[in-house]
Structures are given as C-alpha cells and as structure tokens.
Amino acid sequence: MSQGFSNTSGVKHPDPYKEANLDTQVSVQDKLDDLSKFMDASKFCMMTTVNPKTHQLVSRCMALAGQENGGLDLLFHTNTESGKTDDLAADTHINVGFLNNSGEWASISGTTDIITDRDLVKKYYKSHLKAWVGDLGDGVHDGSANDPRIGIIRVKMATAHYSISHKNIASRLTEVAKGVVTGDTAVVNKLREISEEEVQKLRLTH
C-alpha cells in the first residue's frame, strides 16, 4: 500500500483502476512470454541511467537489438565511448520503458553489463550502426563489426511491470465512456507485474 495523500482510509480500494485491471490469473511463464512479445513488437524504448556527476536521471531512445533467456536479458548496441556507458560504469542500475501507440507499456528495472566480446557483437551487428558511430578514418574505428567502440549493453531484469490489452480501441473507448457516466472503473488493460522473486525462479529454467 502506498503512502496516503488524500485520506482514503475506510473506503474501498483507493486505487480502483489497479484493482480492476491487475491480472493475477496468468502463469509466471506466460507473463514473461507476453512481455517478450510486446518488447519485440515495440522495438524502441527509453533507457534511463543515473548521471554520476549530477545524480540526475537521464533517458535516451534505444532500439532493442535482441533478447536472451526468454526475455529476462535485453541487449542493446552502444558506443562504448558514449555518455550512457560512462553512467553505467559508475552505477549499473537501469530502467527501460517501452510504449506503443495504443497506450500499452512496459517498464523493466535491473542491472547491466557492458559486453565487448566480438562474437556477441558480431551476432547482433547491423550495418546501419556505422551511421551512428561513424568512420574515424584510422582503419580501426570504422563502424564495422570489428570496431572496438561497438559494444552491447546487457540489461538483466530484476522486476517488470507492464500493461497490455486484448481489446480493440473502440471497445476500450466504450469502456472509458461508460466509466465517465457511471463512475465504474474502466477495465481496459491487463496490468501485470513480475516480481524479483519470480524473476529469480524463471532464471532457474532459462
């Protein structure tokens, strides 16, 4: 229960939206599978790190390069000389947030490793990366799969929260409109949470 700011003690559930939409009738494996599919379909996310100098949160758009262990680990390309890798060298904690144009979303918190293993880099390398890191003209830092600047950020999930819907836009708008008239909470999404304990159990089988 969160700290109360509006004196809701003694009333029904103070967060009726979560109560109505929280999906607990699903297995842990199905929660991970659906999350993995959603992240693949969304592709782009906002990656948030901590700036070690200012201690402020910093976010930037990133493209998902791949998944490991059924979606428990997420892979992103990086220039190892960039600010985000400096952030992660000082503090490995991270959050990545996905959002699509239907309002479905996912938030994954965890820790990171910066991987420079060339076999892994080459496995996920795409030629368009050269446009982002450039060719420095020295025959080494050329934007190819062998460019030592190109690495992988591996995000190791600790917890996840996400919201998906199996209803179409029209059905969801109808549900919201009904709630405006009746005061009933709109049931439009499946809110799901994967706890730290559930992640640990999933890692035993992936």
Side-chain angles (χ1 to χ4, degrees), residues 28-89:
V28 176
Q29 184 60 56
D30 283 345
K31 286 194 289 187
L32 179 62
D33 290 344
D34 286 347
L35 174 59
S36 176
K37 292 174 184 176
F38 174 73
M39 292 187 295
D40 259 344
S42 299
K43 180 67 175 178
F44 294 99
C45 70
M46 294 300 289
M47 174 181 288
T48 303
T49 59
V50 180
N51 184 303
K53 296 179 180 178
T54 66
H55 305 292
Q56 299 295 320
L57 300 177
V58 182
S59 299
R60 74 280 289 165
C61 183
M62 298 286 287
L64 183 65
Q67 300 186 39
E68 294 178 330
N69 299 319
L72 291 171
D73 298 329
L74 309 180
L75 305 179
F76 300 88
H77 294 113
T78 188
N79 180 342
T80 57
E81 304 303 314
S82 67
K84 59 184 171 292
T85 52
D86 291 340
D87 291 353
L88 294 170

Short mmCIF file of all heavy atoms in Angstrom, two decimals, residues 28-89:
data_model
loop_
_atom_site.label_atom_id
_atom_site.label_comp_id
_atom_site.label_asym_id
_atom_site.label_seq_id
_atom_site.Cartn_x
_atom_site.Cartn_y
_atom_site.Cartn_z
N VAL A 28 3.49 -17.33 -14.39
CA VAL A 28 4.70 -16.50 -14.46
C VAL A 28 5.33 -16.64 -15.85
O VAL A 28 5.78 -15.65 -16.43
CB VAL A 28 5.71 -16.90 -13.37
CG1 VAL A 28 6.99 -16.11 -13.51
CG2 VAL A 28 5.11 -16.67 -11.99
N GLN A 29 5.36 -17.84 -16.38
CA GLN A 29 5.95 -18.04 -17.70
C GLN A 29 5.17 -17.29 -18.77
O GLN A 29 5.75 -16.68 -19.68
CB GLN A 29 6.01 -19.53 -18.05
CG GLN A 29 6.70 -19.83 -19.37
CD GLN A 29 8.14 -19.35 -19.41
OE1 GLN A 29 8.95 -19.71 -18.57
NE2 GLN A 29 8.47 -18.49 -20.38
N ASP A 30 3.84 -17.31 -18.68
CA ASP A 30 3.03 -16.59 -19.66
C ASP A 30 3.24 -15.09 -19.54
O ASP A 30 3.24 -14.36 -20.55
CB ASP A 30 1.54 -16.92 -19.48
CG ASP A 30 1.18 -18.29 -20.04
OD1 ASP A 30 1.99 -18.85 -20.81
OD2 ASP A 30 0.11 -18.81 -19.69
N LYS A 31 3.44 -14.61 -18.31
CA LYS A 31 3.73 -13.18 -18.14
C LYS A 31 5.01 -12.80 -18.84
O LYS A 31 5.09 -11.77 -19.52
CB LYS A 31 3.82 -12.82 -16.64
CG LYS A 31 2.49 -12.79 -15.93
CD LYS A 31 2.57 -12.11 -14.57
CE LYS A 31 3.32 -12.92 -13.55
NZ LYS A 31 3.25 -12.31 -12.19
N LEU A 32 6.03 -13.64 -18.72
CA LEU A 32 7.30 -13.36 -19.38
C LEU A 32 7.16 -13.46 -20.90
O LEU A 32 7.69 -12.62 -21.64
CB LEU A 32 8.38 -14.31 -18.88
CG LEU A 32 9.77 -14.14 -19.51
CD1 LEU A 32 10.33 -12.75 -19.19
CD2 LEU A 32 10.73 -15.23 -19.01
N ASP A 33 6.45 -14.48 -21.36
CA ASP A 33 6.29 -14.67 -22.81
C ASP A 33 5.57 -13.49 -23.45
O ASP A 33 5.98 -12.99 -24.50
CB ASP A 33 5.51 -15.96 -23.10
CG ASP A 33 6.30 -17.21 -22.78
OD1 ASP A 33 7.54 -17.12 -22.63
OD2 ASP A 33 5.68 -18.29 -22.67
N ASP A 34 4.49 -13.02 -22.81
CA ASP A 34 3.74 -11.89 -23.35
C ASP A 34 4.57 -10.61 -23.32
O ASP A 34 4.50 -9.79 -24.23
CB ASP A 34 2.43 -11.69 -22.57
CG ASP A 34 1.39 -12.75 -22.91
OD1 ASP A 34 1.56 -13.47 -23.91
OD2 ASP A 34 0.39 -12.86 -22.16
N LEU A 35 5.34 -10.44 -22.25
CA LEU A 35 6.22 -9.27 -22.17
C LEU A 35 7.27 -9.30 -23.27
O LEU A 35 7.53 -8.29 -23.93
CB LEU A 35 6.90 -9.23 -20.80
CG LEU A 35 7.97 -8.14 -20.60
CD1 LEU A 35 7.37 -6.75 -20.80
CD2 LEU A 35 8.61 -8.27 -19.21
N SER A 36 7.86 -10.46 -23.50
CA SER A 36 8.88 -10.60 -24.53
C SER A 36 8.32 -10.26 -25.91
O SER A 36 8.95 -9.54 -26.70
CB SER A 36 9.43 -12.03 -24.53
OG SER A 36 10.34 -12.23 -25.58
N LYS A 37 7.11 -10.74 -26.20
CA LYS A 37 6.48 -10.44 -27.49
C LYS A 37 6.20 -8.95 -27.62
O LYS A 37 6.39 -8.36 -28.70
CB LYS A 37 5.17 -11.24 -27.62
CG LYS A 37 5.36 -12.74 -27.74
CD LYS A 37 4.02 -13.46 -27.72
CE LYS A 37 4.20 -14.99 -27.74
NZ LYS A 37 2.89 -15.70 -27.62
N PHE A 38 5.74 -8.33 -26.54
CA PHE A 38 5.44 -6.90 -26.58
C PHE A 38 6.70 -6.09 -26.83
O PHE A 38 6.70 -5.14 -27.63
CB PHE A 38 4.78 -6.46 -25.27
CG PHE A 38 4.56 -4.98 -25.18
CD1 PHE A 38 3.57 -4.37 -25.93
CD2 PHE A 38 5.35 -4.19 -24.37
CE1 PHE A 38 3.37 -2.99 -25.87
CE2 PHE A 38 5.16 -2.82 -24.30
CZ PHE A 38 4.17 -2.22 -25.05
N MET A 39 7.80 -6.43 -26.17
CA MET A 39 9.05 -5.69 -26.36
C MET A 39 9.56 -5.85 -27.78
O MET A 39 10.04 -4.88 -28.39
CB MET A 39 10.09 -6.15 -25.34
CG MET A 39 9.75 -5.77 -23.90
SD MET A 39 11.07 -6.13 -22.72
CE MET A 39 11.14 -7.93 -22.79
N ASP A 40 9.47 -7.05 -28.33
CA ASP A 40 9.89 -7.27 -29.72
C ASP A 40 9.07 -6.43 -30.69
O ASP A 40 9.61 -5.84 -31.63
CB ASP A 40 9.75 -8.75 -30.08
CG ASP A 40 11.07 -9.50 -30.03
OD1 ASP A 40 12.14 -8.84 -30.02
OD2 ASP A 40 11.06 -10.74 -29.99
N ALA A 41 7.76 -6.39 -30.45
CA ALA A 41 6.88 -5.65 -31.34
C ALA A 41 7.10 -4.14 -31.21
O ALA A 41 7.02 -3.41 -32.20
CB ALA A 41 5.42 -5.99 -31.04
N SER A 42 7.40 -3.67 -30.00
CA SER A 42 7.59 -2.24 -29.77
C SER A 42 8.92 -1.76 -30.32
O SER A 42 9.03 -0.65 -30.84
CB SER A 42 7.51 -1.93 -28.27
OG SER A 42 6.25 -2.28 -27.76
N LYS A 43 9.96 -2.57 -30.16
CA LYS A 43 11.32 -2.33 -30.68
C LYS A 43 12.04 -1.19 -29.96
O LYS A 43 13.14 -1.37 -29.45
CB LYS A 43 11.26 -2.04 -32.18
CG LYS A 43 12.62 -1.77 -32.83
CD LYS A 43 13.51 -2.98 -32.87
CE LYS A 43 14.80 -2.74 -33.64
NZ LYS A 43 15.69 -3.90 -33.64
N PHE A 44 11.44 0.00 -29.91
CA PHE A 44 12.11 1.16 -29.33
C PHE A 44 11.68 1.39 -27.88
O PHE A 44 10.53 1.14 -27.51
CB PHE A 44 11.86 2.42 -30.17
CG PHE A 44 12.46 2.35 -31.53
CD1 PHE A 44 11.68 2.01 -32.63
CD2 PHE A 44 13.81 2.60 -31.72
CE1 PHE A 44 12.24 1.93 -33.90
CE2 PHE A 44 14.38 2.52 -32.98
CZ PHE A 44 13.59 2.18 -34.07
N CYS A 45 12.61 1.89 -27.08
CA CYS A 45 12.33 2.15 -25.68
C CYS A 45 13.10 3.38 -25.23
O CYS A 45 13.96 3.89 -25.94
CB CYS A 45 12.71 0.94 -24.83
SG CYS A 45 14.49 0.68 -24.70
N MET A 46 12.78 3.84 -24.03
CA MET A 46 13.57 4.87 -23.37
C MET A 46 14.41 4.19 -22.30
O MET A 46 13.87 3.49 -21.42
CB MET A 46 12.68 5.94 -22.76
CG MET A 46 11.90 6.75 -23.79
SD MET A 46 12.95 7.64 -24.96
CE MET A 46 13.64 8.91 -23.89
N MET A 47 15.72 4.36 -22.40
CA MET A 47 16.66 3.78 -21.44
C MET A 47 17.08 4.87 -20.46
O MET A 47 17.57 5.92 -20.86
CB MET A 47 17.88 3.21 -22.17
CG MET A 47 18.98 2.72 -21.24
SD MET A 47 20.43 2.08 -22.16
CE MET A 47 19.78 0.53 -22.79
N THR A 48 16.91 4.59 -19.17
CA THR A 48 17.19 5.58 -18.13
C THR A 48 18.35 5.13 -17.25
O THR A 48 18.33 4.03 -16.70
CB THR A 48 15.95 5.84 -17.25
OG1 THR A 48 14.87 6.26 -18.08
CG2 THR A 48 16.23 6.91 -16.21
N THR A 49 19.36 6.00 -17.15
CA THR A 49 20.53 5.75 -16.31
C THR A 49 20.69 6.91 -15.32
O THR A 49 19.96 7.89 -15.38
CB THR A 49 21.79 5.63 -17.18
OG1 THR A 49 21.97 6.87 -17.91
CG2 THR A 49 21.69 4.48 -18.17
N VAL A 50 21.67 6.78 -14.44
CA VAL A 50 21.95 7.82 -13.45
C VAL A 50 23.27 8.49 -13.81
O VAL A 50 24.30 7.83 -13.93
CB VAL A 50 22.05 7.23 -12.03
CG1 VAL A 50 22.34 8.34 -11.03
CG2 VAL A 50 20.77 6.50 -11.67
N ASN A 51 23.23 9.82 -14.00
CA ASN A 51 24.45 10.57 -14.25
C ASN A 51 25.27 10.62 -12.96
O ASN A 51 24.79 11.13 -11.95
CB ASN A 51 24.10 11.99 -14.71
CG ASN A 51 25.32 12.81 -15.08
OD1 ASN A 51 26.23 12.99 -14.28
ND2 ASN A 51 25.34 13.32 -16.30
N PRO A 52 26.51 10.09 -12.97
CA PRO A 52 27.28 10.01 -11.72
C PRO A 52 27.73 11.37 -11.19
O PRO A 52 28.04 11.49 -10.00
CB PRO A 52 28.48 9.14 -12.10
CG PRO A 52 28.63 9.34 -13.58
CD PRO A 52 27.23 9.50 -14.10
N LYS A 53 27.76 12.37 -12.04
CA LYS A 53 28.22 13.69 -11.60
C LYS A 53 27.08 14.50 -10.97
O LYS A 53 27.27 15.16 -9.95
CB LYS A 53 28.82 14.46 -12.78
CG LYS A 53 30.08 13.83 -13.35
CD LYS A 53 30.61 14.63 -14.53
CE LYS A 53 31.88 13.98 -15.10
NZ LYS A 53 32.40 14.73 -16.28
N THR A 54 25.90 14.43 -11.59
CA THR A 54 24.78 15.23 -11.10
C THR A 54 23.78 14.43 -10.28
O THR A 54 22.93 15.00 -9.60
CB THR A 54 24.04 15.87 -12.27
OG1 THR A 54 23.42 14.82 -13.06
CG2 THR A 54 24.99 16.68 -13.15
N HIS A 55 23.85 13.09 -10.40
CA HIS A 55 22.91 12.17 -9.76
C HIS A 55 21.49 12.35 -10.30
O HIS A 55 20.52 11.92 -9.66
CB HIS A 55 22.92 12.33 -8.23
CG HIS A 55 24.28 12.17 -7.63
ND1 HIS A 55 24.95 10.96 -7.61
CD2 HIS A 55 25.11 13.07 -7.05
CE1 HIS A 55 26.13 11.12 -7.04
NE2 HIS A 55 26.25 12.39 -6.69
N GLN A 56 21.38 12.98 -11.47
CA GLN A 56 20.09 13.13 -12.12
C GLN A 56 19.84 11.93 -13.04
O GLN A 56 20.78 11.32 -13.56
CB GLN A 56 20.04 14.42 -12.94
CG GLN A 56 20.24 15.68 -12.13
CD GLN A 56 19.11 15.91 -11.14
OE1 GLN A 56 17.95 15.67 -11.45
NE2 GLN A 56 19.46 16.36 -9.95
N LEU A 57 18.57 11.62 -13.25
CA LEU A 57 18.21 10.56 -14.19
C LEU A 57 18.28 11.09 -15.62
O LEU A 57 17.88 12.23 -15.89
CB LEU A 57 16.79 10.06 -13.91
CG LEU A 57 16.56 9.46 -12.52
CD1 LEU A 57 15.09 9.09 -12.35
CD2 LEU A 57 17.45 8.27 -12.28
N VAL A 58 18.81 10.26 -16.52
CA VAL A 58 18.96 10.64 -17.93
C VAL A 58 18.36 9.54 -18.79
O VAL A 58 18.68 8.36 -18.61
CB VAL A 58 20.44 10.84 -18.31
CG1 VAL A 58 20.55 11.29 -19.76
CG2 VAL A 58 21.12 11.83 -17.37
N SER A 59 17.49 9.92 -19.73
CA SER A 59 16.87 8.94 -20.62
C SER A 59 17.23 9.24 -22.06
O SER A 59 17.39 10.39 -22.45
CB SER A 59 15.34 8.96 -20.45
OG SER A 59 14.95 8.63 -19.14
N ARG A 60 17.32 8.18 -22.84
CA ARG A 60 17.53 8.32 -24.27
C ARG A 60 16.85 7.16 -24.99
O ARG A 60 16.66 6.08 -24.41
CB ARG A 60 19.02 8.39 -24.65
CG ARG A 60 19.80 7.10 -24.58
CD ARG A 60 20.20 6.74 -23.19
NE ARG A 60 21.24 7.64 -22.70
CZ ARG A 60 21.57 7.73 -21.44
NH1 ARG A 60 20.93 6.99 -20.52
NH2 ARG A 60 22.52 8.56 -21.04
N CYS A 61 16.46 7.41 -26.26
CA CYS A 61 15.78 6.38 -27.03
C CYS A 61 16.79 5.34 -27.51
O CYS A 61 17.87 5.68 -27.98
CB CYS A 61 15.07 7.02 -28.22
SG CYS A 61 14.12 5.84 -29.20
N MET A 62 16.43 4.08 -27.36
CA MET A 62 17.29 2.97 -27.78
C MET A 62 16.45 1.95 -28.54
O MET A 62 15.24 1.81 -28.30
CB MET A 62 17.93 2.30 -26.56
CG MET A 62 18.84 3.21 -25.75
SD MET A 62 20.41 3.55 -26.55
CE MET A 62 21.24 1.96 -26.35
N ALA A 63 17.10 1.21 -29.42
CA ALA A 63 16.44 0.14 -30.17
C ALA A 63 16.88 -1.21 -29.60
O ALA A 63 18.07 -1.45 -29.39
CB ALA A 63 16.79 0.22 -31.65
N LEU A 64 15.92 -2.06 -29.34
CA LEU A 64 16.22 -3.39 -28.82
C LEU A 64 16.92 -4.21 -29.89
O LEU A 64 16.41 -4.38 -31.00
CB LEU A 64 14.91 -4.07 -28.41
CG LEU A 64 15.01 -5.45 -27.78
CD1 LEU A 64 15.74 -5.39 -26.44
CD2 LEU A 64 13.61 -6.05 -27.60
N ALA A 65 18.11 -4.70 -29.56
CA ALA A 65 18.89 -5.49 -30.52
C ALA A 65 18.60 -6.98 -30.42
O ALA A 65 18.71 -7.71 -31.40
CB ALA A 65 20.38 -5.25 -30.30
N GLY A 66 18.23 -7.43 -29.23
CA GLY A 66 17.96 -8.85 -29.06
C GLY A 66 17.55 -9.17 -27.64
O GLY A 66 17.58 -8.31 -26.75
N GLN A 67 17.15 -10.40 -27.44
CA GLN A 67 16.77 -10.89 -26.11
C GLN A 67 17.47 -12.21 -25.84
O GLN A 67 17.71 -13.00 -26.76
CB GLN A 67 15.25 -11.09 -26.01
CG GLN A 67 14.42 -9.85 -26.24
CD GLN A 67 12.95 -10.09 -25.98
OE1 GLN A 67 12.56 -10.79 -25.05
NE2 GLN A 67 12.09 -9.53 -26.82
N GLU A 68 17.76 -12.45 -24.59
CA GLU A 68 18.34 -13.71 -24.15
C GLU A 68 17.50 -14.26 -23.00
O GLU A 68 16.80 -13.52 -22.33
CB GLU A 68 19.78 -13.53 -23.69
CG GLU A 68 20.76 -13.11 -24.78
CD GLU A 68 22.16 -12.90 -24.25
OE1 GLU A 68 22.31 -12.52 -23.07
OE2 GLU A 68 23.11 -13.12 -25.02
N ASN A 69 17.62 -15.56 -22.79
CA ASN A 69 16.95 -16.21 -21.66
C ASN A 69 15.45 -15.92 -21.63
O ASN A 69 14.87 -15.62 -20.59
CB ASN A 69 17.59 -15.80 -20.33
CG ASN A 69 19.05 -16.19 -20.24
OD1 ASN A 69 19.44 -17.29 -20.65
ND2 ASN A 69 19.89 -15.30 -19.73
N GLY A 70 14.84 -16.00 -22.81
CA GLY A 70 13.40 -15.86 -22.90
C GLY A 70 12.87 -14.46 -22.65
O GLY A 70 11.67 -14.29 -22.46
N GLY A 71 13.76 -13.47 -22.65
CA GLY A 71 13.34 -12.10 -22.40
C GLY A 71 13.78 -11.58 -21.05
O GLY A 71 13.53 -10.41 -20.73
N LEU A 72 14.45 -12.41 -20.26
CA LEU A 72 14.96 -11.95 -18.96
C LEU A 72 16.14 -11.01 -19.12
O LEU A 72 16.39 -10.17 -18.26
CB LEU A 72 15.38 -13.15 -18.11
CG LEU A 72 14.24 -14.05 -17.60
CD1 LEU A 72 14.81 -15.31 -16.96
CD2 LEU A 72 13.36 -13.30 -16.61
N ASP A 73 16.87 -11.15 -20.22
CA ASP A 73 18.01 -10.27 -20.51
C ASP A 73 17.77 -9.58 -21.85
O ASP A 73 17.43 -10.24 -22.84
CB ASP A 73 19.32 -11.07 -20.56
CG ASP A 73 19.64 -11.73 -19.22
OD1 ASP A 73 19.27 -11.17 -18.18
OD2 ASP A 73 20.23 -12.82 -19.25
N LEU A 74 17.96 -8.27 -21.87
CA LEU A 74 17.75 -7.47 -23.08
C LEU A 74 19.09 -6.94 -23.57
O LEU A 74 19.95 -6.56 -22.76
CB LEU A 74 16.81 -6.31 -22.79
CG LEU A 74 15.49 -6.67 -22.11
CD1 LEU A 74 14.66 -5.41 -21.88
CD2 LEU A 74 14.71 -7.70 -22.92
N LEU A 75 19.25 -6.89 -24.88
CA LEU A 75 20.52 -6.47 -25.48
C LEU A 75 20.32 -5.20 -26.32
O LEU A 75 19.35 -5.10 -27.09
CB LEU A 75 21.08 -7.58 -26.37
CG LEU A 75 21.28 -8.95 -25.71
CD1 LEU A 75 21.82 -9.95 -26.73
CD2 LEU A 75 22.20 -8.86 -24.51
N PHE A 76 21.24 -4.26 -26.15
CA PHE A 76 21.20 -3.01 -26.89
C PHE A 76 22.62 -2.70 -27.39
O PHE A 76 23.59 -2.88 -26.66
CB PHE A 76 20.73 -1.85 -25.99
CG PHE A 76 19.36 -2.03 -25.43
CD1 PHE A 76 19.16 -2.69 -24.22
CD2 PHE A 76 18.24 -1.52 -26.09
CE1 PHE A 76 17.89 -2.86 -23.69
CE2 PHE A 76 16.97 -1.68 -25.58
CZ PHE A 76 16.80 -2.35 -24.37
N HIS A 77 22.71 -2.21 -28.61
CA HIS A 77 24.01 -1.75 -29.11
C HIS A 77 24.39 -0.45 -28.41
O HIS A 77 23.54 0.36 -28.05
CB HIS A 77 23.95 -1.49 -30.61
CG HIS A 77 23.71 -2.73 -31.43
ND1 HIS A 77 22.55 -2.94 -32.13
CD2 HIS A 77 24.49 -3.81 -31.64
CE1 HIS A 77 22.62 -4.10 -32.75
NE2 HIS A 77 23.79 -4.65 -32.46
N THR A 78 25.69 -0.23 -28.26
CA THR A 78 26.17 1.02 -27.70
C THR A 78 27.54 1.37 -28.26
O THR A 78 28.31 0.49 -28.65
CB THR A 78 26.25 0.95 -26.16
OG1 THR A 78 26.56 2.24 -25.65
CG2 THR A 78 27.32 -0.04 -25.70
N ASN A 79 27.80 2.66 -28.30
CA ASN A 79 29.17 3.14 -28.50
C ASN A 79 29.79 3.17 -27.11
O ASN A 79 29.33 3.91 -26.22
CB ASN A 79 29.14 4.54 -29.12
CG ASN A 79 30.52 5.11 -29.36
OD1 ASN A 79 31.51 4.65 -28.79
ND2 ASN A 79 30.61 6.12 -30.19
N THR A 80 30.82 2.39 -26.89
CA THR A 80 31.40 2.28 -25.56
C THR A 80 32.04 3.58 -25.08
O THR A 80 32.41 3.69 -23.91
CB THR A 80 32.43 1.15 -25.50
OG1 THR A 80 33.44 1.38 -26.49
CG2 THR A 80 31.77 -0.20 -25.73
N GLU A 81 32.18 4.55 -25.98
CA GLU A 81 32.73 5.85 -25.61
C GLU A 81 31.63 6.88 -25.34
O GLU A 81 31.91 8.07 -25.21
CB GLU A 81 33.65 6.37 -26.73
CG GLU A 81 34.78 5.42 -27.10
CD GLU A 81 35.65 5.07 -25.92
OE1 GLU A 81 36.04 5.99 -25.18
OE2 GLU A 81 35.94 3.88 -25.72
N SER A 82 30.40 6.44 -25.22
CA SER A 82 29.27 7.35 -25.06
C SER A 82 28.97 7.62 -23.59
O SER A 82 29.44 6.92 -22.69
CB SER A 82 28.02 6.78 -25.74
OG SER A 82 27.58 5.62 -25.06
N GLY A 83 28.14 8.64 -23.37
CA GLY A 83 27.78 9.03 -22.02
C GLY A 83 27.04 7.96 -21.25
O GLY A 83 27.23 7.80 -20.04
N LYS A 84 26.20 7.19 -21.92
CA LYS A 84 25.43 6.18 -21.20
C LYS A 84 26.31 5.08 -20.64
O LYS A 84 26.03 4.54 -19.55
CB LYS A 84 24.32 5.60 -22.08
CG LYS A 84 24.77 4.94 -23.35
CD LYS A 84 23.56 4.48 -24.18
CE LYS A 84 23.98 4.01 -25.56
NZ LYS A 84 24.48 5.14 -26.39
N THR A 85 27.39 4.73 -21.36
CA THR A 85 28.29 3.71 -20.82
C THR A 85 29.09 4.27 -19.65
O THR A 85 29.43 3.54 -18.72
CB THR A 85 29.23 3.16 -21.91
OG1 THR A 85 29.88 4.24 -22.57
CG2 THR A 85 28.45 2.36 -22.93
N ASP A 86 29.38 5.57 -19.68
CA ASP A 86 30.02 6.20 -18.52
C ASP A 86 29.08 6.14 -17.32
O ASP A 86 29.51 5.84 -16.19
CB ASP A 86 30.36 7.66 -18.82
CG ASP A 86 31.49 7.80 -19.85
OD1 ASP A 86 32.24 6.82 -20.04
OD2 ASP A 86 31.59 8.88 -20.45
N ASP A 87 27.79 6.43 -17.55
CA ASP A 87 26.80 6.35 -16.47
C ASP A 87 26.78 4.95 -15.87
O ASP A 87 26.81 4.77 -14.64
CB ASP A 87 25.40 6.68 -17.00
CG ASP A 87 25.23 8.14 -17.40
OD1 ASP A 87 26.15 8.94 -17.14
OD2 ASP A 87 24.17 8.46 -17.97
N LEU A 88 26.72 3.93 -16.74
CA LEU A 88 26.56 2.56 -16.29
C LEU A 88 27.83 2.01 -15.66
O LEU A 88 27.78 1.09 -14.83
CB LEU A 88 26.11 1.67 -17.45
CG LEU A 88 24.70 2.00 -17.98
CD1 LEU A 88 24.44 1.24 -19.27
CD2 LEU A 88 23.65 1.67 -16.94
N ALA A 89 28.98 2.56 -16.03
CA ALA A 89 30.22 2.15 -15.38
C ALA A 89 30.24 2.59 -13.92
O ALA A 89 30.82 1.93 -13.06
CB ALA A 89 31.42 2.74 -16.12
#
